[in-house]
Amino acid sequence: MSQSDAHLLIVDDDERIRALLGRFLRKSGYLVTLARDAAQARRLLAGLDFDLIVMDVMMPGEDGFALTRSLRERLTTPILLLTARGETEDRIAGLEVGADDYLPKPFEPRELLLRISAILRRVPAPEMHQPKFLSLGALRYDIDKGELWQGENHLRLTGTEQSLLRRLAASRGEPVSRADLIEDLGRGGGDEGDNSERAIDVQITRLRRKIEPDPREPRFLQTVRGTGYMLVVD
């Protein structure tokens, strides 16, 4: 698998570390999606395929060990665990629940890159398959590639629009709060720096102009009053 094709899911409850890892790995050529806890990671995994999960162990609620054990019941996606505890017992525990590698904090960013590259090299090349599409009227959205098509025409999306549509597609049929969108898109997930609720509303308006037959009467990208937004597909 080439580095440019790899999509990484970063799961860490520390906002600063999560943002730093996201920026660093994107600059290193990876496609990166961020999750602040196990619950958000589960929602993203329900709608998107990832090539590698980089997960913190010490998270409130469901920790990294428990989430890894649960995911191993249905997923073979490689998992790299991060933790502030580097004792042998913890490393063994991580491997026993199904992790592919284990990196104690603090770590050198280059070592993280080397670990990720080594894991991805061990992953067998995926079999060729037809991409998965969501239908939005006359448009179709390739959820694997994050691309929007009208017939044979590829419709250009900005980086923020791509991230926004990918996030909403991962939770299609369910409302996503503005706070979650700010968290996902405002921490390095798009190409604009403003992460205010107003900025999210502006991006929604722009995206509606591209996917809605009548942006004033949205059919696919609906407003959920008091909550946020929801993507409804055919």
Side-chain angles (χ1 to χ4, degrees), residues 8 17 143 147 149 187-188 192:
L8 311 183
I17 292 177
I143 63 175
E147 295 176 348
W149 294 81
R187 305 300 180 185
E192 286 90 0

Side-chain angles (χ1 to χ4, degrees), residues 1 10 15 38 52 67 87 103 106 187 197 227:
M1 176 186 300
I10 310 301
E15 180 179 324
L52 174 66
L67 180 56
E87 291 82 358
L103 185 59
R187 305 300 180 185
E197 290 193 3
T227 302

Side-chain angles (χ1 to χ4, degrees), residues 160 164 177-178 181-183 185-186 194-205 229:
T160 297
L164 181 61
S177 69
R178 286 181 175 85
L181 292 175
I182 289 171
E183 175 73 18
L185 306 183
D194 188 351
N195 62 352
S196 66
E197 290 193 3
R198 174 57 182 163
I200 294 294
D201 293 341
V202 169
Q203 293 301 324
I204 289 287
T205 298
Y229 298 100

Side-chain angles (χ1 to χ4, degrees), residues 25-128:
L25 291 171
R26 288 188 184 100
K27 289 180 180 178
S28 299
Y30 292 104
L31 175 62
V32 179
T33 297
L34 306 177
R36 65 180 175 273
D37 55 21
Q40 188 177 23
R42 287 182 180 279
R43 291 195 297 270
L44 291 167
L45 287 162
L48 296 172
D49 292 326
F50 295 92
D51 300 296
L52 174 66
I53 302 170
V54 179
M55 185 190 312
D56 185 36
V57 169
M58 303 301 292
M59 296 187 293
E62 186 177 17
D63 66 18
F65 287 147
L67 180 56
T68 298
R69 183 184 298 108
S70 175
L71 293 179
R72 276 293 168 259
E73 296 176 358
R74 60 183 181 86
L75 292 178
T76 60
T77 307
I79 297 174
L80 170 61
L81 291 178
L82 304 175
T83 182
R85 302 186 305 184
E87 291 82 358
T88 301
E89 292 79 5
D90 291 317
R91 294 197 297 271
I92 292 174
L95 297 174
E96 285 179 340
V97 297
D100 295 81
D101 204 350
Y102 196 100
L103 185 59
K105 298 177 180 178
F107 52 82
E108 289 293 331
R110 179 163 173 76
E111 182 178 3
L112 176 62
L113 282 181
L114 291 173
R115 298 276 188 120
I116 289 174
S117 297
I119 293 174
L120 293 176
R121 284 198 301 269
R122 297 197 297 264
V123 177
E127 296 181 2
M128 296 301 294

